[in-house]
Amino acid sequence: MKICIFSGTFNPIHNAHIEMAKFIKNNFNFDKIIFIPAYKPPHKEYNEDFSKHRFNMVKLAIRKYPEFEISDIEFRRKEKSYTYDTIKELYKKYNIEDKIYMIIGSDAFEKIEGWYKSDQLKKLVDFIVFIRDNKTVKFESLKEKGYNFQYAKMKFIDISSTNLRLKIKNNENVSGLLPKEAEDYITTNGLYKN
């Protein structure tokens, strides 16, 4: 099986996330794109109740796409969500052909060497890097250090979860920026108002 994972906080999931996953599915030969919401992000503020909301939003937003799947692998662990640990578990769970691939933004990839067990992680995954803000980024030094990656040649979609949260807090219109299912869930549960 050829799988590509898309992990993150998804706080909230938005249309750029969906379009990125669709682009990967349409341009690479993967059997599944697996969304993995972080339960307890290592470098971000953590709230257990809110982690459940983030998980629910992703689940609702991707359910109409049969090629997408959501994994609760990091929720079941109930510990800090380190990618290395998640990848190790996925290799046990799936019959992987070749390697697991991972969608990553260029901003996160720039910091990859600082990730938990990064030296071991680079042997387990190949990265598909999305360039943020249409910047020219060069990662040749990472390639020399054994990080296998390729660029996703998709036009940058300027939507950020941070800006979305601010817009919702300020009662601004977010229609068209996030999946309708996620938008309805946010409204129903009164999220991002504080």
Side-chain angles (χ1 to χ4, degrees), residues 39 46-53 75 78:
Y39 174 71
Y46 158 75
N47 173 315
E48 189 171 348
D49 289 337
F50 221 89
S51 290
K52 288 172 189 159
H53 285 310
F75 280 70
K78 297 250 180 196

mmCIF file of all heavy atoms in Angstrom, residues 39 46-53 75 78:
data_model
loop_
_atom_site.group_PDB
_atom_site.id
_atom_site.type_symbol
_atom_site.label_atom_id
_atom_site.label_comp_id
_atom_site.label_asym_id
_atom_site.label_seq_id
_atom_site.Cartn_x
_atom_site.Cartn_y
_atom_site.Cartn_z
ATOM 1 N N TYR A 39 -2.843 15.157 18.718
ATOM 2 C CA TYR A 39 -3.589 15.174 19.986
ATOM 3 C C TYR A 39 -2.985 16.213 20.923
ATOM 4 O O TYR A 39 -3.664 17.061 21.470
ATOM 5 C CB TYR A 39 -3.534 13.786 20.630
ATOM 6 C CG TYR A 39 -4.142 13.724 22.015
ATOM 7 C CD1 TYR A 39 -5.518 13.834 22.176
ATOM 8 C CD2 TYR A 39 -3.353 13.563 23.147
ATOM 9 C CE1 TYR A 39 -6.094 13.793 23.437
ATOM 10 C CE2 TYR A 39 -3.916 13.513 24.413
ATOM 11 C CZ TYR A 39 -5.279 13.628 24.548
ATOM 12 O OH TYR A 39 -5.845 13.588 25.801
ATOM 13 N N TYR A 46 -1.964 23.315 24.431
ATOM 14 C CA TYR A 46 -2.747 22.088 24.326
ATOM 15 C C TYR A 46 -3.956 22.146 25.250
ATOM 16 O O TYR A 46 -3.862 22.541 26.404
ATOM 17 C CB TYR A 46 -1.846 20.898 24.686
ATOM 18 C CG TYR A 46 -2.587 19.664 25.133
ATOM 19 C CD1 TYR A 46 -3.260 18.865 24.216
ATOM 20 C CD2 TYR A 46 -2.629 19.299 26.483
ATOM 21 C CE1 TYR A 46 -3.936 17.734 24.616
ATOM 22 C CE2 TYR A 46 -3.304 18.174 26.890
ATOM 23 C CZ TYR A 46 -3.952 17.392 25.963
ATOM 24 O OH TYR A 46 -4.635 16.283 26.365
ATOM 25 N N ASN A 47 -5.116 21.782 24.725
ATOM 26 C CA ASN A 47 -6.346 21.705 25.496
ATOM 27 C C ASN A 47 -7.062 20.429 25.045
ATOM 28 O O ASN A 47 -7.412 20.282 23.882
ATOM 29 C CB ASN A 47 -7.198 22.954 25.195
ATOM 30 C CG ASN A 47 -8.574 22.894 25.808
ATOM 31 O OD1 ASN A 47 -9.265 21.875 25.744
ATOM 32 N ND2 ASN A 47 -8.994 23.991 26.394
ATOM 33 N N GLU A 48 -7.237 19.495 25.973
ATOM 34 C CA GLU A 48 -7.780 18.175 25.612
ATOM 35 C C GLU A 48 -9.142 18.266 24.937
ATOM 36 O O GLU A 48 -9.392 17.623 23.933
ATOM 37 C CB GLU A 48 -7.861 17.279 26.850
ATOM 38 C CG GLU A 48 -8.210 15.855 26.491
ATOM 39 C CD GLU A 48 -8.099 14.887 27.656
ATOM 40 O OE1 GLU A 48 -7.537 15.260 28.701
ATOM 41 O OE2 GLU A 48 -8.597 13.772 27.509
ATOM 42 N N ASP A 49 -10.039 19.092 25.496
ATOM 43 C CA ASP A 49 -11.368 19.243 24.889
ATOM 44 C C ASP A 49 -11.257 19.784 23.468
ATOM 45 O O ASP A 49 -11.967 19.359 22.568
ATOM 46 C CB ASP A 49 -12.244 20.191 25.720
ATOM 47 C CG ASP A 49 -12.652 19.544 27.040
ATOM 48 O OD1 ASP A 49 -12.645 18.298 27.104
ATOM 49 O OD2 ASP A 49 -12.952 20.280 27.999
ATOM 50 N N PHE A 50 -10.354 20.744 23.287
ATOM 51 C CA PHE A 50 -10.228 21.346 21.973
ATOM 52 C C PHE A 50 -9.604 20.377 20.978
ATOM 53 O O PHE A 50 -9.917 20.409 19.795
ATOM 54 C CB PHE A 50 -9.426 22.651 22.039
ATOM 55 C CG PHE A 50 -10.033 23.681 21.154
ATOM 56 C CD1 PHE A 50 -11.015 24.526 21.621
ATOM 57 C CD2 PHE A 50 -9.668 23.764 19.820
ATOM 58 C CE1 PHE A 50 -11.624 25.449 20.778
ATOM 59 C CE2 PHE A 50 -10.265 24.672 18.965
ATOM 60 C CZ PHE A 50 -11.241 25.518 19.454
ATOM 61 N N SER A 51 -8.739 19.494 21.464
ATOM 62 C CA SER A 51 -8.164 18.466 20.584
ATOM 63 C C SER A 51 -9.284 17.628 19.977
ATOM 64 O O SER A 51 -9.261 17.289 18.790
ATOM 65 C CB SER A 51 -7.193 17.567 21.353
ATOM 66 O OG SER A 51 -6.040 18.297 21.693
ATOM 67 N N LYS A 52 -10.286 17.323 20.793
ATOM 68 C CA LYS A 52 -11.431 16.528 20.294
ATOM 69 C C LYS A 52 -12.205 17.304 19.225
ATOM 70 O O LYS A 52 -12.637 16.734 18.228
ATOM 71 C CB LYS A 52 -12.352 16.148 21.454
ATOM 72 C CG LYS A 52 -11.736 15.096 22.366
ATOM 73 C CD LYS A 52 -12.566 14.869 23.602
ATOM 74 C CE LYS A 52 -11.815 13.986 24.589
ATOM 75 N NZ LYS A 52 -12.297 14.112 25.952
ATOM 76 N N HIS A 53 -12.365 18.608 19.449
ATOM 77 C CA HIS A 53 -13.047 19.440 18.449
ATOM 78 C C HIS A 53 -12.273 19.441 17.130
ATOM 79 O O HIS A 53 -12.865 19.327 16.055
ATOM 80 C CB HIS A 53 -13.185 20.883 18.943
ATOM 81 C CG HIS A 53 -14.234 21.070 19.994
ATOM 82 N ND1 HIS A 53 -15.526 20.594 19.867
ATOM 83 C CD2 HIS A 53 -14.188 21.709 21.205
ATOM 84 C CE1 HIS A 53 -16.229 20.915 20.948
ATOM 85 N NE2 HIS A 53 -15.439 21.580 21.771
ATOM 86 N N PHE A 75 -4.374 10.232 19.216
ATOM 87 C CA PHE A 75 -5.345 10.360 20.309
ATOM 88 C C PHE A 75 -5.295 9.137 21.213
ATOM 89 O O PHE A 75 -5.420 9.244 22.419
ATOM 90 C CB PHE A 75 -6.759 10.560 19.743
ATOM 91 C CG PHE A 75 -7.009 11.973 19.326
ATOM 92 C CD1 PHE A 75 -6.374 12.500 18.205
ATOM 93 C CD2 PHE A 75 -7.850 12.802 20.043
ATOM 94 C CE1 PHE A 75 -6.577 13.808 17.823
ATOM 95 C CE2 PHE A 75 -8.066 14.114 19.674
ATOM 96 C CZ PHE A 75 -7.422 14.619 18.549
ATOM 97 N N LYS A 78 -2.336 9.338 23.671
ATOM 98 C CA LYS A 78 -2.563 10.293 24.774
ATOM 99 C C LYS A 78 -1.274 10.920 25.313
ATOM 100 O O LYS A 78 -1.199 11.307 26.464
ATOM 101 C CB LYS A 78 -3.313 9.616 25.937
ATOM 102 C CG LYS A 78 -4.691 9.134 25.550
ATOM 103 C CD LYS A 78 -5.753 9.964 26.212
ATOM 104 C CE LYS A 78 -7.120 9.482 25.822
ATOM 105 N NZ LYS A 78 -8.170 10.394 26.102
#
